[in-house]
Amino acid sequence: MHVAPNGVVLGVDPYYPADGNGGYDVADYAVDLTYDPAARFLNAKAVISATTTQRLSRFNLDLRGLTVTAVKVDGVPAAFVRAGQHELVITPAATLAADTAFTVEVVYCGRSQPDYTPGRGVTGWRTTWSGGAVAAGGAHSARTWFPVNDTSADKATFHLTATVPAGWTAVSTGTRTSVHNGRHTWVEDVPVTPSATMIAVDRFAVRESTAGGTPVLDAFAPGADPALAAKLPAVLDFLTGQLGPYPLPAAGGVYLPDLVHSHPAQGRPVHGGGADQSALVQAVAAQWWGNQLAIKMWQDQPLVESFARYLVWLWDEEKRGLAVEQRYQDAVRRADARFWGRELADPGAGREFSVADKGVLMVHALRKHIGDAAFFTVLRDYPQIATGLNQGWYDWELFTAAVADKDLTAFYQAWVHGTALPPAELR
C-alpha cells in the first residue's frame, strides 16, 4: 500500500479496487503510436517516467487488451506477464530501490477495444462513423490505448506523437507542437489524470483561433456541425469571470456527429452530435471543477460534477433569463423519495455521474445557506488552491466551513450524506 503526497492511497478505490497501482508515482507519459484507420490497427511504444516510493521487485501497469511485445526498465529488458482483464505485471532485471527515478518502455500493438463498466456503459477507444477513432470519457478510458497507472490520484504530464495516413489528423490533450509527414505531436505540461486524457483520429477539419488570449484548436469530423464551437469564446469569457483565469495553456474541442454526450477531457473536450450549449458550458467548467480540481476517488465525482452543472445554471440565468432560484424550487417540488434516496457522497460504482441532478440542488442550497459572499469565494478559490492536488468530500466540507466560518455539519449530513428530503431550514 502506498500513500501519495496528496494523502491518497494509490490503487485502493472502493468502486474499482483493481484500478491503479502502488509503489510508484508517474511523472510523465510519452506515447509514440502509428494508427491505420483502414485496418483499425495500432502500433505503439509508451515510455513512462516515474519515481519509486518503496522498494520494488515488480510492479503493475493497467492496459486492457492489446499485445505487449517488449518491456524495458531503465533500458534493460524486463520480464512481464498479463493478469486479469487489464494488469501488466513487470519484473525488472534488478530490484528498484525506494525513492529512485526510473523509466519503463512498453512496446505494444493490436486493435484497441472499448471498456464496459456496469452502470455506466462503454468508455475508451471506439471507432467512429467516418472510419476514425476516439478514446475519451472517464474511468478506464486511458488503459484502452496506452499503459497507465489508472487512478485519478496519480496525475502526470502527457506527450503524444501519433502518425496517421495522409488526409487524417490526430488530435489530443494539450498543445499541438508540430505536424510533419503525418506525425502529429501534442504536449500537455499541466499534469492530467488518466481519465482526462483523450485521442481522436479522423479526417478532421482543424480550425485554430484565440479566445481571451488563450489559443483554441477545434477539430471537426466529417458531418460535424461547427455552430457549437462558435460559442466557446463567450463561454470562456463567462467562466473566467466566475472562476478566474483559464487554468490551461490551450482550449478547444473535438466535434463528432456520432457520439451523444460530451466528455470533458483536459483542455479539449469531445462533443458528440447530441451536445448542446449546456453541454459545452459544463465541459468547459469542468476544466476548473474536474481537471484543475481533481477527485481523490470515483465516489467523489459528484462533487466536481455538481459544481460544473451549477455553472450551467448560472450561465442560463445570465444569458437566457432562467432564474436559478425558481429552477431550484421547481426541481425540489418535482423530486420524489427515489430522487432523494441517492447519496451524493457514495452513489455507488457505475453511478458516479448519475446524481448531479441532486447535486446541483445541493450547490444552490449551500449558496443560500452560507450567503453569496462566501459561496462565490469558494466557487472561485477552491479549484485554484487545489491545483495539482486531489480532493474529496471531506476536504470540501472542511474548506467551506472554514470560509463561511460556520458549522456546516447538519447541512452536509442532510444533503451530501443523507438519503431523504433535507429539512426546510436547510433548503
Side-chain angles (χ1 to χ4, degrees):
M1 183 178 295
H2 161 51
V3 180
N6 55 19
V8 179
V9 181
L10 294 183
V12 183
D13 189 306
Y15 286 3
Y16 307 108
D19 288 7
N21 307 281
Y24 63 91
D25 287 327
V26 177
D28 179 73
Y29 296 98
V31 180
D32 190 337
L33 64 82
T34 299
Y35 182 65
D36 180 356
R40 299 183 178 180
F41 199 84
L42 180 77
N43 281 286
K45 179 178 73 173
V47 177
I48 299 100
S49 302
T51 300
T52 60
T53 56
Q54 64 187 54
R55 186 172 176 269
L56 288 178
S57 59
R58 69 178 185 179
F59 57 92
N60 292 14
L61 290 166
D62 299 297
L63 180 66
R64 187 181 187 280
L66 300 171
T67 299
V68 176
T69 57
V71 175
K72 293 180 180 180
V73 176
D74 289 334
V76 178
F80 62 93
V81 296
R82 307 301 293 269
Q85 291 186 337
H86 58 82
E87 297 291 344
L88 174 62
V89 184
I90 299 169
T91 303
T95 297
L96 302 174
D99 302 315
T100 300
F102 69 104
T103 60
V104 186
E105 178 185 296
V106 181
V107 179
Y108 59 102
C109 63
R111 291 181 175 86
S112 295
Q113 299 293 326
D115 189 280
Y116 176 79
T117 300
R120 288 190 52 209
V122 172
T123 187
W125 191 281
R126 68 192 81 180
T127 55
T128 63
W129 286 349
S130 52
V134 60
H140 309 157
S141 175
R143 70 188 187 203
T144 65
W145 66 285
F146 69 96
V148 61
N149 190 22
D150 201 1
T151 168
S152 294
D154 199 0
K155 284 186 168 185
T157 54
F158 185 77
H159 296 75
L160 172 70
T161 299
T163 302
V164 294
W168 296 80
T169 300
V171 179
S172 190
T173 308
T175 302
R176 186 171 69 174
T177 58
S178 70
V179 180
H180 182 67
N181 290 338
R183 290 173 60 84
H184 303 254
T185 302
W186 293 84
V187 174
E188 177 55 279
D189 284 331
V190 177
V192 57
T193 64
S195 60
T197 60
M198 60 79 58
I199 184 173
V201 176
D202 217 314
R203 297 182 183 276
F204 288 119
V206 175
R207 184 177 68 195
E208 296 185 78
S209 60
T210 59
T214 299
V216 175
L217 186 145
D218 292 312
F220 306 95
D225 185 353
L228 187 62
K231 300 173 181 178
L232 179 62
V235 171
L236 279 171
D237 182 66
F238 172 79
L239 290 174
T240 54
Q242 295 286 343
L243 302 171
Y246 184 67
L248 299 166
V254 172
Y255 297 85
L256 305 169
D258 49 328
L259 298 183
V260 176
H261 304 294
S262 293
H263 299 296
Q266 183 160 307
R268 192 150 291 104
V270 177
H271 301 286
D276 58 12
Q277 185 161 289
S278 293
L280 176 67
V281 175
Q282 185 170 336
V284 179
Q287 305 310 312
W288 288 267
W289 280 89
N291 290 333
Q292 184 180 32
L293 168 62
I295 59 173
K296 282 184 175 178
M297 299 182 182
W298 281 106
Q299 67 186 42
D300 302 315
Q301 179 62 30
L303 169 63
V304 293
E305 187 88 356
S306 298
F307 278 87
R309 180 81 65 91
Y310 191 70
L311 284 152
V312 177
W313 280 29
L314 295 177
W315 165 275
D316 287 343
E317 183 173 61
E318 179 171 307
K319 304 298 183 180
R320 301 172 58 200
L322 301 178
V324 168
E325 174 64 15
Q326 187 61 54
R327 197 169 181 175
Y328 167 83
Q329 294 293 346
D330 290 345
V332 169
R333 271 194 303 272
R334 290 194 303 267
D336 56 15
R338 184 177 180 181
F339 178 93
W340 297 113
R342 301 167 299 162
E343 183 181 344
L344 287 179
D346 191 10
R351 297 190 292 273
E352 307 93 328
F353 294 86
S354 69
V355 293
D357 52 348
K358 179 182 177 182
V360 73
L361 302 186
M362 177 277 295
V363 175
H364 187 64
L366 176 67
R367 175 183 173 182
K368 298 203 295 181
H369 194 63
I370 66 176
D372 275 9
F375 175 80
F376 283 101
T377 295
V378 297
L379 180 70
R380 183 185 182 99
D381 288 359
Y382 196 52
Q384 294 182 15
I385 68 164
T387 300
L389 301 176
N390 297 78
Q391 301 286 282
W393 284 108
Y394 177 75
D395 309 290
W396 167 250
E397 291 173 25
L398 289 178
F399 179 77
T400 49
V403 172
D405 193 21
K406 190 172 185 177
D407 185 354
L408 298 177
T409 304
F411 178 88
Y412 283 124
Q413 189 59 42
W415 275 99
V416 175
H417 305 281
T419 55
L421 172 67
E425 64 271 16
L426 296 177
R427 59 174 204 269

